[in-house]
Amino acid sequence: MTMPPAQPLRAAIWMTGAIISFSAMAVAGRELASGLDTYEIMLYRSAIGLVVVVLVARVAGTLGQVSPRSIHVHFIRNIAHFTGQNLWFFALGLIPLAQVFALEFTAPIWAMFLAVLVLGESLTKIRLTTAVLGFAGVLIITQPWGAPLSLGIIAAALAAIGFAGTAVFTRLLTRSETVTCILFWLVSMQLVFSLICAGYDGDITWPGAQAWPLIVLVSLAGLVAHFCITKALSLAPAAVVMPVDFTRLPLIALVGYLFYSEDLSIALVIGSTMIIGANYLSLSATSKK
């Protein structure tokens, strides 16, 4: 079967939608943090997400694809995602936006190691080089030899590991499950997880009128971002598409500077460049196979 020709320009346009969506979600998440805790943000986000997924699946005629046959894998995947997403929202309120995004970009590096354990993939020299380069970038950003690591940096770094677990178990699920099935269990399980974590003390904050537009934005931005990435990857190879995603970092750094008076340190620039370079090296090596 002949593959259709790559359309890098169209792919880049779709990736622009993903970049804007991720950035909007970060800003909205930071604004919501002053009135809601991370579990409450996830609770309302998951509730809206469930409605959207069910409605879209019903219109598309794919609701019947939802099956519990891989429920244990869905559970592991969604625990990883729930943990990572909560830590990500938590970090947003503690450290500069650019630091959060830079540490988030280590997720593919952690995913390489998890893929060896979960999927039986091999750890090549290129992947080891990528890991070393990326880890060096993390050390430059966090500078653990200077002051003690802040809670925000630790949260963002652990969030990346959670996202890595999400990616690996998603890859495992795609061998037998459809996108509708994966998304349905994602929002359903995270709704339950959020309800338990937010309501264990019997006190769940109901958002005010000003918070609801931000909650809707957080809910829809994630779905739109992942749809845009999927569409972009259908138009061009990952080695072409994913480097465009790295422009999220300078964009969110500019947002942080303009709206939150966040400084852009030399250490952040150097470390981020190393992490992005590590990811690009991995993507380039993969595309040549």
Side-chain angles (χ1 to χ4, degrees):
M1 180 179 179
T2 304
M3 294 294 293
Q7 303 178 57
L9 181 57
R10 289 185 61 194
I13 292 172
W14 279 106
M15 281 305 299
T16 301
I19 291 164
I20 294 172
S21 297
F22 278 133
S23 300
M25 185 168 64
V27 173
R30 170 171 282 192
E31 294 298 320
L32 286 169
S34 61
L36 301 172
D37 63 36
T38 59
Y39 298 131
E40 290 165 344
I41 294 173
M42 288 294 292
L43 172 63
Y44 298 120
R45 174 191 175 180
S46 300
I48 294 173
L50 179 59
V51 172
V52 172
V53 169
V54 170
L55 287 177
V56 172
R58 185 150 190 175
V59 170
T62 58
L63 199 56
Q65 296 174 357
V66 177
S67 166
R69 63 188 167 197
S70 300
I71 197 70
H72 60 295
V73 183
H74 286 288
F75 181 81
I76 296 171
R77 176 200 185 273
N78 293 323
I79 282 289
H81 189 271
F82 180 75
T83 303
Q85 194 69 77
N86 274 284
L87 288 168
W88 190 78
F89 279 126
F90 181 66
L92 285 175
L94 297 177
I95 61 176
L97 295 172
Q99 270 194 335
V100 176
F101 276 44
L103 292 170
E104 180 191 345
F105 280 138
T106 64
I109 298 169
W110 293 114
M112 288 190 300
F113 290 103
L114 290 174
V116 174
L117 300 174
V118 177
L119 303 176
E121 296 183 0
S122 58
L123 197 59
T124 63
K125 290 182 179 180
I126 285 291
R127 290 183 173 182
L128 283 172
T129 302
T130 297
V132 171
L133 184 60
F135 186 66
V138 171
L139 290 178
I140 290 173
I141 292 172
T142 59
Q143 299 184 38
W145 53 81
L149 291 176
S150 71
L151 193 57
I153 286 177
I154 294 172
L158 292 176
I161 297 176
F163 292 147
T166 304
V168 170
F169 283 99
T170 299
R171 200 181 312 166
L172 183 62
L173 283 168
T174 54
R175 295 175 178 177
S176 60
E177 308 298 333
T178 64
V179 173
T180 296
C181 184
I182 293 171
L183 288 178
F184 174 83
W185 289 116
L186 166 68
V187 291
S188 298
M189 288 187 175
Q190 293 200 136
L191 179 59
V192 174
F193 298 157
S194 302
L195 187 60
I196 293 172
C197 293
Y200 79 96
D201 58 356
D203 182 20
I204 299 178
T205 301
W206 183 256
Q210 293 181 337
W212 277 111
L214 294 173
I215 291 172
V216 173
L217 178 58
V218 165
S219 303
L220 298 182
L223 293 174
V224 170
H226 288 289
F227 175 80
C228 287
I229 290 174
T230 302
K231 186 67 176 178
L233 288 170
S234 71
L235 295 170
V240 174
V241 170
M242 297 315 294
V244 180
D245 188 37
F246 298 149
T247 60
R248 265 201 290 154
L249 192 51
L251 175 61
I252 204 65
L254 180 62
V255 170
Y257 175 76
L258 293 176
F259 294 98
Y260 299 103
S261 301
E262 296 176 353
D263 293 329
L264 189 60
S265 67
I266 295 299
L268 178 61
V269 173
I270 296 173
S272 301
T273 301
M274 293 178 71
I275 292 170
I276 290 172
N279 281 303
Y280 186 73
L281 177 64
S282 177
L283 286 166
S284 298
T286 302
S287 67
K288 293 175 181 177
K289 291 182 178 179

